[in-house]
Amino acid sequence: MTPENLVFLAAIIFVIGAIGVMTRRNALVAFLSIEMMLNAANLVMVSFAMGRGGLDGQVAAFFVMVVAAAEVVVGLSIIMIIFRTRRSTSVDTASLLKL
Amino acid sequence: MALLEIASPTFEWLELAPVLLVLAGGCLGVLVEALFPRAWRFTAQVAVIELTVLAAFVVLVANYRAHRSGILAMGSIALDGPTYIMWGSLLIFGLLGMLVFSERHLDNGASVFTPAASSIPGSVHEAEALTARLEHSEVFPLALFSLAGMMVFLAATDLLTMFVGLEVMSLPLYLLSAMARRRRLLSQEAALKYFLLGAFSSAFFLFGMALLYGYAGSFDLKAIDAAITSPYYGPGLLYVGLAMLAIGMLFKIGVVPFHNWVPDVYVGAPTPVTGFMAVCTKLAAVGATARVFFVALGAERWSWQPTMAVLAVLTMALGAILALTQTDIKRMLAYSSIAHAGFLLTAIVGANADPGVQVNSMGSIMFYLIAYGFATIAAFAIITMVRNSAGEVTAISGWAGLGRKSPILAGIFAFLMLSFAGIPLTGGFIGKWAVFSAAWRGGFPWLVVAAIAFSLIAAYFYLRVIVVMFFAEPAQSVVVGRASGMTWVPVVLGVVASVYLGLFPGQLLDLVSASSVFLR
């Protein structure tokens, strides 16, 4: 697979993730979709590192993984407390704050 | 053998000391949490934040006086004029914001943060934590980490460092917003929205960054600038990457159409956190946006300026018009902060980088942010003081007749509203004049005309608050709480600075214009 094709694949994964965030009502699934978008970006960086012949992109992918892990810690704790309070992780029930 | 060929990286400890000190302060705070007996923790944490931020500020000033500058840490952080000014103001605003965190006189010896964030609101667990008078003094290290993230974010010269800074800045803020003592359901909901939307936007930032990496073959802002003049791939990669990166950054500033989180999070988060967030996050995000767009994408400005101009108009319009309809003071200030984001964007659109001109884009942006920062910190500190038996009163109707209950407080708040509105002789007026003239010189007179129209609309809702405070019958059961110096210091400093910047803007204007050139 050429780097260009990998970038197209990553773009497809990113779009699937973005659609997931916007359409799924479960906060956990929405969060999962966000992680998918981050990984799509990782794939882009790694494939460009292959195509352009540098190591920067591959190193950056590790940084992104670490950041994503930290994000999971914070995100799951927020989703957990919401679930314990409301017995639901649906983003629709969280509607006390209105425009 | 290959390992021997790797040169050891250089790291400028002294120049980077302000960031390192803030990070070390955060780590020290974690240790305090682990080692100190519960009764001393809160006081110890306050001492840690005050000492670390002051030490960082002293080192920063010493570095400035010794004219130390350059691209540091193997080309990932730039210590230049804008970095100096914005690090300095971040440290000041961060300290003032964290002082308000430590106020415990308003609520019978308890802080504004929940005694047990993991407890279910209204549960036995929460009640036990309340009787045991537990406190989450972890909020101070969290705020320090966030502050360090902001400092890295706005000074980063490569996109990867910028991304890490962005996340270090945001993650503690998500947690801080969830920790209100009163109205915890709202607070948790705000945190969920902030987190999901924030993570969504940083995914866009990351994907845009990956595409720009592909376009330039490097994360370095300078390399992206070089790639624009001699490209390897076609411009499609650049345009998509630029747009997605912009989405991630404009979200943090709160620009329409990425502003949805702002009102909800500002209302739901504990008020001191809202003040901290409103000033410091905006400052860092605007600084980083300006750096990316001026340094990396400056050669491509003909393609982003028109879009950004349209977004600026939309932001000002939506912020000013929706603020008119608000009945909650925090929500009104949230929409006003969206409108201010629009005013700031006009100077970025102007992209007038001529250092010879008295007010260029970056100088005017920094002046505006400093004037807005002092007024905002003070305004949110005042909101924490207006209370009834259930906590803060944020309904504007509850503020009726405040002028008779506490003329000083109401007078200060009225002055801050005038500064927000941009009435002459306040810091806000000079800030608006500076950003508008930068946009005018940049060749966008129509944008300036629109901005002036929207600031007239915005003046109406600020004046409405003043009218309610002074010319309405006093609301029952609302009192002005007796706050300690922790709240009064930011209020007094904020209002004194707003007056000073309004009457004698010359000194700061000269300083920001002289240090407005980004190092490449």
Side-chain angles (χ1 to χ4, degrees):
Chain A
M1 226 176 182
T2 61
E4 281 77 11
N5 286 343
L6 279 172
V7 173
F8 287 123
L9 174 66
I12 293 169
I13 297 176
F14 186 86
V15 171
I16 293 173
I19 292 173
V21 177
M22 289 187 280
T23 56
R24 298 301 291 267
R25 300 281 68 133
N26 187 316
L28 273 175
V29 179
F31 186 35
L32 209 72
S33 310
I34 292 173
E35 293 294 314
M36 215 159 98
M37 294 163 73
L38 296 184
N39 282 317
N42 266 353
L43 186 55
V44 174
M45 288 190 285
V46 172
S47 38
F48 274 127
M50 196 166 90
R52 302 293 299 264
L55 276 177
D56 289 9
Q58 298 190 26
V59 176
F62 282 105
F63 275 85
V64 175
M65 281 180 210
V66 173
V67 167
E71 202 165 66
V72 169
V73 173
V74 171
L76 282 189
S77 66
I78 292 174
I79 295 174
M80 262 306 287
I81 184 68
I82 288 271
F83 175 72
R84 288 173 48 154
T85 307
R86 300 169 199 259
R87 291 281 137 202
S88 147
T89 51
S90 166
V91 287
D92 284 342
T93 56
S95 57
L96 293 170
L97 291 158
K98 292 226 177 71
L99 276 175
Chain B
M1 282 309 285
L3 273 178
L4 295 176
E5 291 163 20
I6 299 175
S8 68
T10 56
F11 196 79
E12 294 80 357
W13 296 94
L14 188 60
E15 282 86 341
L16 288 166
V19 183
L20 298 176
L21 276 169
V22 174
L23 277 174
C27 297
L28 202 65
V30 175
L31 284 180
V32 166
E33 213 49 49
L35 300 177
F36 273 54
R38 184 164 280 147
W40 296 359
R41 274 183 212 159
F42 204 88
T43 328
Q45 293 286 16
V46 176
V48 167
I49 55 158
E50 284 172 2
L51 288 176
T52 48
V53 174
L54 287 178
F57 192 75
V58 168
V59 177
L60 186 76
V61 172
N63 281 343
Y64 182 75
R65 295 180 72 95
H67 302 289
R68 294 195 181 92
S69 65
I71 307 282
L72 314 173
M74 305 297 285
S76 38
I77 286 190
L79 189 64
D80 49 16
T83 307
Y84 269 117
I85 301 286
M86 298 185 99
W87 277 6
S89 31
L90 261 186
L91 288 171
I92 293 173
F93 294 139
L95 182 61
L96 294 180
M98 285 188 282
L99 284 184
V100 188
F101 284 22
S102 63
E103 174 63 68
R104 291 201 289 181
H105 282 239
L106 286 170
D107 205 355
N108 296 325
S111 69
V112 293
F113 298 101
T114 169
S118 61
S119 64
I120 300 168
S123 66
V124 182
H125 178 187
E126 189 193 32
E128 281 171 351
L130 278 171
T131 7
R133 304 193 79 86
L134 300 186
E135 302 259 28
H136 270 306
S137 38
E138 291 94 339
V139 293
F140 297 106
L142 283 175
L144 277 181
F145 285 133
S146 176
L147 197 62
M150 291 168 189
M151 292 170 77
V152 172
F153 184 42
L154 69 87
T157 50
D158 75 75
L159 291 173
L160 184 59
T161 315
M162 203 170 256
F163 175 70
V164 174
L166 172 74
E167 291 295 318
V168 175
M169 158 179 113
S170 312
L171 295 179
L173 286 177
Y174 300 147
L175 291 177
L176 285 172
S177 346
M179 291 170 77
R181 172 176 292 265
R182 315 227 179 206
R183 287 184 273 197
R184 288 186 59 202
L185 286 178
L186 282 187
S187 173
Q188 292 175 354
E189 187 180 310
L192 180 71
K193 287 185 178 169
Y194 192 17
F195 169 72
L196 281 180
L197 292 174
F200 191 46
S201 80
S202 52
F204 275 90
F205 181 92
L206 191 69
F207 203 80
M209 162 184 142
L211 292 180
L212 286 182
Y213 165 68
Y215 180 75
S218 162
F219 290 106
D220 201 17
L221 299 186
K222 209 169 49 201
I224 295 170
D225 183 48
I228 289 174
T229 35
S230 54
Y232 177 83
Y233 285 113
L237 213 48
L238 172 70
Y239 292 144
V240 180
L242 190 161
M244 294 180 102
L245 198 73
I247 290 176
M249 311 199 82
L250 297 182
F251 171 87
K252 288 289 167 199
I253 310 181
V255 169
V256 175
F258 319 110
H259 67 286
N260 273 322
W261 63 280
V262 178
D264 286 356
V265 175
Y266 278 30
V267 172
T271 309
V273 175
T274 310
F276 180 75
M277 214 154 54
V279 178
C280 298
T281 314
K282 183 154 292 181
L283 201 146
V286 170
T289 310
R291 190 181 290 277
V292 166
F293 278 90
F294 291 175
V295 175
L297 306 166
E300 200 49 46
R301 77 162 78 131
W302 312 120
S303 55
W304 55 259
Q305 266 176 329
T307 321
M308 203 87 113
V310 172
L311 290 185
V313 172
L314 286 177
T315 309
M316 292 183 287
L318 189 128
I321 291 168
L322 283 186
L324 291 175
T325 64
Q326 300 306 317
T327 54
D328 182 294
I329 191 111
K330 275 168 93 178
R331 220 174 171 83
M332 190 207 90
L333 284 184
Y335 280 107
S336 115
S337 120
I338 295 175
H340 284 292
F343 296 135
L344 277 163
L345 218 52
T346 59
I348 296 188
V349 171
N352 183 340
D354 184 359
V357 180
Q358 219 247 329
V359 274
N360 48 27
S361 277
M362 201 50 212
S364 67
I365 288 169
M366 289 190 289
F367 188 93
Y368 194 103
L369 281 168
I370 291 170
Y372 163 83
F374 276 115
T376 308
I377 285 271
F380 279 104
I382 288 176
I383 293 177
T384 64
M385 288 197 241
V386 180
R387 314 176 69 88
N388 62 14
S389 57
E392 289 161 15
V393 175
T394 54
I396 293 180
S397 56
W399 285 55
L402 203 70
R404 280 186 232 169
K405 289 174 190 159
S406 173
I408 298 177
L409 198 77
I412 291 178
F413 200 76
F415 180 79
L416 297 173
M417 291 295 112
L418 293 179
S419 181
F420 280 145
I423 306 291
L425 299 183
T426 61
F429 170 74
I430 310 287
K432 280 212 171 67
W433 167 78
V435 289
F436 293 167
S437 54
W440 186 282
R441 280 174 216 266
F444 286 84
W446 63 269
L447 188 60
V448 176
V449 173
I452 291 173
F454 287 122
S455 49
L456 288 179
I457 297 179
Y460 173 77
F461 61 78
Y462 295 121
L463 293 177
R464 198 186 57 172
V465 178
I466 298 179
V467 169
V468 167
M469 281 195 304
F470 286 97
F471 304 108
E473 278 304 302
Q476 299 296 313
S477 77
V478 176
V479 291
V480 174
R482 289 185 170 280
S484 68
M486 295 302 185
T487 306
W488 276 108
V489 167
V491 170
V492 171
L493 261 178
V495 75
V496 167
S498 301
V499 174
Y500 181 80
L501 292 179
L503 294 179
F504 311 104
Q507 229 172 349
L508 185 65
L509 270 180
D510 288 345
L511 181 68
V512 292
S513 321
S515 19
S516 60
V517 182
F518 286 118
L519 218 56
R520 278 152 203 269

